[in-house]
Amino acid sequence: MSLFSRIYQKVIVSIDLYEKTCKIRISNNKNTQQEEKIYKTINANFPIEAAKYIQKIQNQYPHTYTSAMIRTENQGLLNGKNIDVFDKFGLDINSLKIMLVNKQWFIYVGKKNLQEYKNKFSKINGLDFVFSPFIIIYEKIKDRLDSAKKLYILQEKGSTSLLIADRDNIYFGNHIVFEQDSFVDENKEDKKKNDDMIEFDVIDEIDENIIIKDFDKGSYDLSSNSLSELSIANHMIELITKTLNNFYQDNRYASDFIDELLILDGYGISDNAISYLKNNTMLE
């Protein structure tokens, strides 16, 4: 490749950092090349071998951008376009990084949690893009939405993100991490709000070139196949039941009946596990 081509080629480094593994995907702006490497990790720390590999790419291609989906506690989604909705849910807006999406719903993450996550990548001078799992779900499903409210689940190795939506709006979102085969709701802590003014970012249009192509969400397919462990299905049944009960019983939500769920499978869920989910949740 010529020096001229290297200078002007955009390269995207997508990082999936889990408790025991780190997957690096390299793609260019023409989507003609893609390279993938997997490294072992300890306690979800970014491995030095992965950092050295990315530094090599950065030195080779000046227009290299790094991205990752944030997998951390204290993040969520709220329906509404007025910042006062955070008061209704007892959330301290001054401790959160908040973004308004499509002038209809908010995504948020704790400022401290976000900074701690970014610090994991200090060996490569941080990240250019940090994505919310709710944006990933929304970008995958937005063209499939209809008049029926449905539950969408992004299942990954160490976390589950849930979103309830129809074509008109997003109504509910929750992110749960599980450790040692137990789900832990990271949004349980009571939070207090003061009356200080708060600024938040606004997203009117999501850049699909960044989110879809560059982040390479192709591995998240609406799927009903390929995970061998029914224990994950048991966790999901408990989680789905709890989510739906909260949605139906909490008058803060516009809780119409939900009779269908779709799984964005980042882990691989077997046919047996899907059947098990259907039989135990009575959802299609």
Side-chain angles (χ1 to χ4, degrees):
M1 179 182 294
S2 68
L3 177 61
F4 182 83
S5 298
R6 286 183 181 177
I7 290 176
Y8 290 98
Q9 184 174 16
K10 182 171 69 173
V11 174
I12 305 301
V13 180
S14 302
I15 305 170
D16 287 325
L17 183 62
Y18 299 104
E19 189 73 16
K20 296 182 179 180
T21 61
C22 178
K23 180 186 291 185
I24 308 294
R25 291 192 299 272
I26 309 294
S27 58
N28 61 23
N29 56 319
K30 298 180 180 179
N31 289 321
T32 56
Q33 293 179 324
Q34 184 163 322
E35 185 175 345
E36 181 175 298
K37 290 184 178 291
I38 298 178
Y39 300 90
K40 292 182 179 180
T41 64
I42 300 175
N43 298 325
N45 290 317
F46 190 53
I48 187 64
E49 295 85 358
K52 289 179 178 178
Y53 173 63
I54 293 173
Q55 288 169 352
K56 180 181 177 181
I57 298 296
Q58 290 172 325
N59 291 334
Q60 200 170 9
Y61 300 96
H63 294 283
T64 295
Y65 301 92
T66 53
S67 64
M69 186 175 77
I70 187 166
R71 297 174 173 90
T72 187
E73 61 184 11
N74 193 22
Q75 61 174 310
L77 180 152
L78 292 179
N79 173 262
K81 54 187 177 182
N82 191 315
I83 197 69
D84 290 344
V85 70
F86 285 83
D87 188 32
K88 184 166 68 172
F89 285 86
L91 294 168
D92 178 7
I93 56 178
N94 295 282
S95 68
L96 303 174
K97 174 69 173 179
I98 299 169
M99 303 189 81
L100 177 63
V101 184
N102 294 339
K103 299 179 180 179
Q104 289 184 306
W105 44 283
F106 291 98
I107 54 175
Y108 67 87
V109 62
K111 291 179 180 178
K112 180 179 178 181
N113 306 95
L114 178 59
Q115 190 57 53
E116 288 176 351
Y117 191 74
K118 288 181 176 180
N119 290 343
K120 286 178 176 286
F121 304 95
S122 59
K123 299 183 185 72
I124 55 171
N125 297 320
L127 296 167
D128 295 300
F129 301 102
V130 179
F131 297 104
S132 162
F134 305 111
I135 294 295
I136 300 300
I137 297 175
Y138 176 72
E139 281 300 306
K140 188 67 177 178
I141 68 172
K142 66 180 184 180
D143 294 330
R144 303 169 182 258
L145 296 172
D146 54 31
S147 60
K149 286 188 177 73
K150 298 176 184 177
L151 173 61
Y152 299 89
I153 300 175
L154 173 57
Q155 178 61 47
E156 296 193 285
K157 288 181 180 180
S159 66
T160 302
S161 301
L162 304 99
L163 185 148
I164 294 175
D166 61 22
R167 69 160 66 101
D168 295 324
N169 213 332
I170 309 296
Y171 301 95
F172 175 90
N174 196 15
H175 178 75
I176 304 219
V177 299
F178 55 94
E179 299 172 354
Q180 298 177 350
D181 295 329
S182 297
F183 280 114
V184 180
D185 189 340
E186 300 295 343
N187 294 320
K188 277 186 176 179
E189 294 185 8
D190 292 331
K191 303 171 183 71
K192 297 179 181 179
K193 168 186 174 289
N194 60 39
D195 296 326
D196 294 341
M197 296 297 291
I198 186 75
E199 294 183 358
F200 55 87
D201 296 327
V202 176
I203 305 177
D204 291 320
E205 296 182 1
I206 299 170
D207 187 344
E208 296 188 5
N209 289 324
I210 295 293
I211 303 273
I212 295 179
K213 298 178 183 177
D214 297 350
F215 189 74
D216 186 22
K217 302 194 312 308
S219 60
Y220 298 117
D221 294 326
L222 291 173
S223 168
S224 62
N225 43 34
S226 124
L227 173 97
S228 57
E229 300 176 5
L230 288 180
S231 61
I232 298 295
N234 279 321
H235 284 307
M236 292 179 69
I237 289 168
E238 180 181 351
L239 181 57
I240 291 166
T241 302
K242 179 180 177 181
T243 297
L244 293 179
N245 284 338
N246 288 342
F247 186 67
Y248 293 147
Q249 297 172 12
D250 194 329
N251 58 17
R252 294 174 296 185
Y253 300 113
S255 49
D256 294 341
F257 187 71
I258 295 168
D259 61 2
E260 185 175 355
L261 70 87
L262 290 92
I263 298 173
L264 284 73
D265 183 12
Y267 193 77
I269 300 182
S270 68
D271 292 336
N272 287 337
I274 291 293
S275 297
Y276 190 66
L277 280 172
K278 287 182 179 180
N279 293 336
N280 285 274
T281 61
M282 294 184 292
L283 295 173
E284 290 298 321

